[in-house]
Amino acid sequence: MKTYHDCIPCFVRQSLEASRLVTGDKSLHERVLRDMLKKISEMDLDQPPPLMGREIHRKIRELTGSDDPYSVVKAEYNAFALGMYDEMKNRVKKSKDPFATAMRLAVAGNIIDFGVASDLDKSYVRRVIEDSLTGPLHGDPDHLEQAARKARHILYLGDNAGEILFDRILIEELPADRVVFAVRGGPVINDATMEDADAVGLSELVEVIDNGTDLPGTFLPECSDKFLRQFEKADLVISKGQGNYETLSGSGAEDKVVFLFKVKCEVVASDTHCEKGTAVALPGNVAGGKE
Amino acid sequence: MKTYHDCIPCFVRQSLEASRLVTGDKSLHERVLRDMLKKISEMDLDQPPPLMGREIHRKIRELTGSDDPYSVVKAEYNAFALGMYDEMKNRVKKSKDPFATAMRLAVAGNIIDFGVASDLDKSYVRRVIEDSLTGPLHGDPDHLEQAARKARHILYLGDNAGEILFDRILIEELPADRVVFAVRGGPVINDATMEDADAVGLSELVEVIDNGTDLPGTFLPECSDKFLRQFEKADLVISKGQGNYETLSGSGAEDKVVFLFKVKCEVVASDTHCEKGTAVALPGNVAGGKE
């Protein structure tokens, strides 16, 4: 997906909100804003929005001198999600359709995203998870289970810390020996890295690799060779989150991808022909305005 | 009022929305965005926000080659407001407190502002006007009538086209021979200029001058000598709208000012200690965090 004009005010807002989340130093907020305004003024709009997301968070890390300013938030949401594990597993087990329930939970877990909403709280996350079990699911909810049954190699692209506990619950309904899980190559926002996969027990369940980038998405031209070999090999890619959607949709590689995410902004709502807030399970061959 | 960090994403959003309102040419939207991002990255945050508002709209006028891109909207809202004149006058006449009713209508008329909301529609304006007659009024609602009774020279600073018909209704409750009305010196957004004062019959009622600037506010360091003489001479200044509040509050000249406006953004809400949407009648000596 390219960068829409409406992404631009949002980048500026995100620059401010993210710098506020990371430090109380107002002079630093101003430096982040000024530097990012300049950078955004020269950006290539043909590139997907997460490339500017990366620049924002690189700038914040550079100016705060912190390699991983969201580390506390990530640990907190991993622990929060782990605390819900037994209850969620129980729901999946008791469900008439355990796969569908696990998939709905994995989509709902995508709400744990500090990139779009800096004021996230846990009671809201709980409510979204409750609603997800019965609410509508845009796209083709049955496609993933069918595709997973046939697939020999499944690459699962994680999104955020905390959320990946919900990914684990879905992976436990998949043939885990055929699944490779990918995290980001370095800290960016609250996106999951290797540490988070370890924290929620994913690393014991499946092979976990990183994609070699510090980008809040999966931008293939910059991913590591190791990651690209897995992407190539996979006959099914499960892609979690808006950032992965924004980078893979329209990339030419999306046909074997199933996108699972919560729609968090008007731009992606318009791109996916549904409303903000919608839970999505969208096969890549119909994504990105191709419908 | 200085420019807050939260104004910055809003400037970018306004640049995009205003350019969309004025032209459907997307390449022009992009040029406005890029040029404004660069300009905002270098702005002086000690200056009031309407100075950047002026830059946005100068840029749009420059790139569209249109001197007054809001002229149609302005004429439309003047006509719309004129169509409500008899009904409003009747309400004032029948009211137990005609001055208070006229003042409430003048505040409500301030909703006709294309600077903050580019998607304004007339049914919404009507609803705001209805609600204004009974809704709360933040500040000191009685102050203006008392101050007006004592004042020998009243300077009334208009804000938007359409809205100035409501200003006329309030001025008709004032000693009109002691009132001078000021409009902007040149087109900016849908702010009222001399043409609009003529269109709603204000020019026949009081002396109308312009402030010598194309700024959506009253920034004294740039106003014309003629305007400044009137400002100096006035013992009461009635200031309509957020732009006039943003430029005059904290200017050092606000003690003789009464600010009448609708609070349209979170920044001014916080600066005036009230909620977005609030109708305000605020004496200048208690405005701008001095409370």
Side-chain angles (χ1 to χ4, degrees), chain B residues 13-86:
Chain B
R13 188 185 52 73
Q14 282 182 48
S15 303
L16 179 58
E17 288 187 357
S19 59
R20 280 179 175 159
L21 202 70
V22 164
T23 168
D25 179 350
K26 289 189 181 183
S27 68
L28 201 140
H29 303 162
E30 186 177 329
R31 281 188 62 195
V32 170
L33 274 171
R34 289 190 191 278
D35 287 3
M36 290 315 303
L37 286 161
K38 215 161 283 165
K39 214 177 265 275
I40 298 165
S41 78
E42 287 159 7
M43 78 175 287
D44 177 359
L45 298 179
D46 289 331
Q47 291 195 320
L51 272 83
M52 189 48 68
R54 169 173 63 182
E55 296 306 316
I56 293 170
H57 292 278
R58 277 188 178 171
K59 177 59 68 184
I60 289 171
R61 293 199 301 275
E62 174 201 324
L63 293 180
T64 56
S66 161
D67 288 340
D68 189 3
Y70 291 78
S71 60
V72 173
V73 159
K74 289 191 285 187
E76 197 184 315
Y77 274 86
N78 284 335
F80 169 68
L82 275 167
M84 296 170 73
Y85 179 74
D86 289 343

Side-chain angles (χ1 to χ4, degrees), chain A residues 85-210:
Chain A
Y85 179 74
D86 289 343
E87 181 193 337
M88 295 298 122
K89 281 300 280 186
N90 211 24
R91 287 186 174 221
V92 171
K93 212 178 292 176
K94 286 186 177 166
S95 159
K96 279 185 208 159
D97 187 343
F99 187 90
T101 301
M103 185 179 73
R104 281 173 172 276
L105 288 171
V107 175
N110 182 237
I111 202 67
I112 307 174
D113 181 345
F114 281 83
V116 179
S118 60
D119 56 348
L120 199 68
D121 72 68
K122 293 185 184 108
S123 62
Y124 176 65
V125 172
R126 273 204 166 272
R127 208 162 57 242
V128 169
I129 289 164
E130 279 308 315
D131 294 349
S132 74
L133 295 170
T134 51
L137 199 57
H138 175 78
D140 183 351
D142 300 324
H143 176 85
L144 180 62
E145 189 173 8
Q146 293 158 11
R149 209 175 292 141
K150 284 184 272 179
R152 285 155 305 160
H153 301 286
I154 301 173
L155 178 62
Y156 194 119
L157 310 177
D159 190 10
N160 300 307
E163 174 181 354
I164 63 167
L165 186 275
F166 296 86
D167 297 328
R168 175 180 155 192
I169 291 172
L170 175 54
I171 289 169
E172 286 167 347
E173 302 301 314
L174 292 168
D177 57 322
R178 285 183 248 158
V179 175
V180 171
F181 191 91
V183 292
R184 310 294 185 222
V188 58
I189 326 178
N190 67 322
D191 286 30
T193 61
M194 198 57 82
E195 209 175 331
D196 305 298
D198 294 344
V200 302
L202 250 180
S203 315
E204 295 161 36
L205 186 67
V206 293
E207 182 188 352
V208 182
I209 61 169
D210 75 65

Side-chain angles (χ1 to χ4, degrees), chain A residues 193-250:
Chain A
T193 61
M194 198 57 82
E195 209 175 331
D196 305 298
D198 294 344
V200 302
L202 250 180
S203 315
E204 295 161 36
L205 186 67
V206 293
E207 182 188 352
V208 182
I209 61 169
D210 75 65
N211 68 10
T213 77
D214 62 343
L215 203 140
T218 301
F219 186 57
L220 297 175
E222 296 193 20
C223 287
S224 66
D225 289 343
K226 184 177 174 186
F227 175 86
L228 290 174
R229 277 196 300 276
Q230 288 292 346
F231 196 95
E232 186 68 27
K233 192 173 149 193
D235 38 18
L236 171 64
V237 176
I238 301 175
S239 164
K240 284 296 300 292
Q242 234 188 237
N244 286 332
Y245 173 79
E246 290 172 26
T247 37
L248 287 171
S249 152

